[in-house]
Amino acid sequence: DAKTTQPPSMDCAEGRAANLPCNHSTISGNEYVYWYRQIHSQGPQYIIHGLKNNETNEMASLIITEDRKSSTLILPHATLRDTAVYYCIVRVAPGNQGGKLIFGQGTELSVKP
Amino acid sequence: GAVVSQHPSWVICKSGTSVKIECRSLDFQATTMFWYRQFPKQSLMLMATSNEGSKATYEQGVEKDKFLINHASLTLSTLTVTSAHPEDSSFYICSARDLENEQFFGPGTRLTVL
């Protein structure tokens, strides 16, 4: 699975958009970009995933560059409860039994009042 | 949504004893489950992959005789930490893969070995 690079930490003001970047320059054509987050002392929570098109759900938006070498997770209106470590992971497509979720160091997002 | 539970949520044990942690998929069948370990201020580290009815596959550096994994049914996997020592104290997290190959995580088990 391709390696990802994320900034170790970011701050965001409550109510503002949080934009979390991720570099995955060695991503393969059959690898998806997944985002999970982990609130302190809890299990990881799925946020969103995509292949090459931008994706949006009730939690966030995922913007993937045209060359697929980087992506940005956007939390449109961050709240204090969004304070967590955010992990960007690339893995083979759903449906392929070989794909394992390997976690990097992630970005620790602090949402401040 | 798919729910994965773990039991216990926390456990304290004496050095040298064995501890069993259960991971259950509550509303779906999981042919594959994963066990992770997380030390304070660190990321999750994949320990092993367990497939229902077969032996677990351990990641490099993880002792299979130390961390016994059993995946006896499509909804239950267990991790037994044998002869636990203080350095085994950690946050253990399981995840389960559903039939659409999406992974869902349990809430974690905090193990403290005295």
Side-chain angles (χ1 to χ4, degrees), chain A residues 4-71:
Chain A
T4 62
T5 303
Q6 299 177 252
S9 64
M10 292 182 64
D11 289 343
C12 178
E14 187 178 19
R16 303 297 293 269
N19 297 281
L20 293 93
C22 179
N23 285 320
H24 32 78
S25 59
T26 60
I27 192 170
S28 300
N30 66 341
E31 288 182 315
Y32 280 61
V33 179
Y34 277 74
W35 284 84
Y36 282 79
R37 73 179 182 184
Q38 186 181 27
I39 295 170
H40 183 62
S41 294
Q42 297 183 24
Q45 176 190 22
Y46 166 81
I47 301 173
I48 199 167
H49 76 278
L51 181 63
K52 55 183 178 180
N53 296 324
N54 298 336
E55 302 287 345
T56 296
N57 62 21
E58 64 277 5
M59 288 183 69
S61 294
L62 174 60
I63 308 298
I64 303 175
T65 58
E66 192 169 342
D67 63 7
R68 302 186 69 236
K69 293 185 177 182
S70 65
S71 61

Side-chain angles (χ1 to χ4, degrees), chain A residues 71-86:
Chain A
S71 61
T72 301
L73 178 75
I74 301 172
L75 307 178
H77 305 287
T79 71
L80 298 179
R81 287 179 292 182
D82 291 321
T83 292
V85 179
Y86 287 77

Side-chain angles (χ1 to χ4, degrees), chain B:
Chain B
V3 179
V4 176
S5 70
Q6 284 185 238
H7 179 81
S9 56
W10 59 270
V11 57
I12 301 173
C13 70
K14 293 182 178 180
S15 185
T17 62
S18 295
V19 175
K20 179 185 285 188
I21 302 170
E22 293 185 348
C23 176
R24 294 181 185 272
S25 55
L26 297 185
D27 50 2
F28 66 99
Q29 293 183 331
T31 55
T32 304
M33 289 185 172
F34 304 86
W35 287 95
Y36 293 81
R37 180 168 58 179
Q38 185 176 34
F39 293 110
K41 301 290 186 183
Q42 294 187 23
S43 184
L44 286 78
M45 185 197 80
L46 180 65
M47 299 174 68
T49 302
S50 78
N51 293 295
E52 185 264 338
S54 62
K55 289 183 179 180
T57 302
Y58 290 80
E59 296 296 307
Q60 191 173 11
V62 178
E63 300 175 60
K64 62 178 182 179
D65 296 328
K66 171 78 172 175
F67 300 99
L68 302 179
I69 293 172
N70 183 279
H71 192 162
S73 78
L74 288 173
T75 59
L76 174 63
S77 176
T78 61
L79 168 68
T80 301
V81 183
T82 62
S83 186
H85 288 94
E87 57 266 29
D88 298 321
S89 297
S90 189
F91 192 49
Y92 291 87
I93 305 169
C94 75
S95 72
R97 179 186 275 165
D98 68 6
L99 294 179
E100 295 181 355
N101 287 302
E102 297 300 342
Q103 256 179 263
F104 302 91
F105 288 82
T109 296
R110 176 79 56 193
L111 170 64
T112 302
V113 185
L114 302 177

Side-chain angles (χ1 to χ4, degrees), chain A residues 3-4 6 85-89 102-107, chain B residues 42-44:
Chain A
K3 182 180 172 63
T4 62
Q6 299 177 252
V85 179
Y86 287 77
Y87 296 98
C88 167
I89 303 168
I102 305 298
F103 287 76
Q105 294 307 305
T107 295
Chain B
Q42 294 187 23
S43 184
L44 286 78

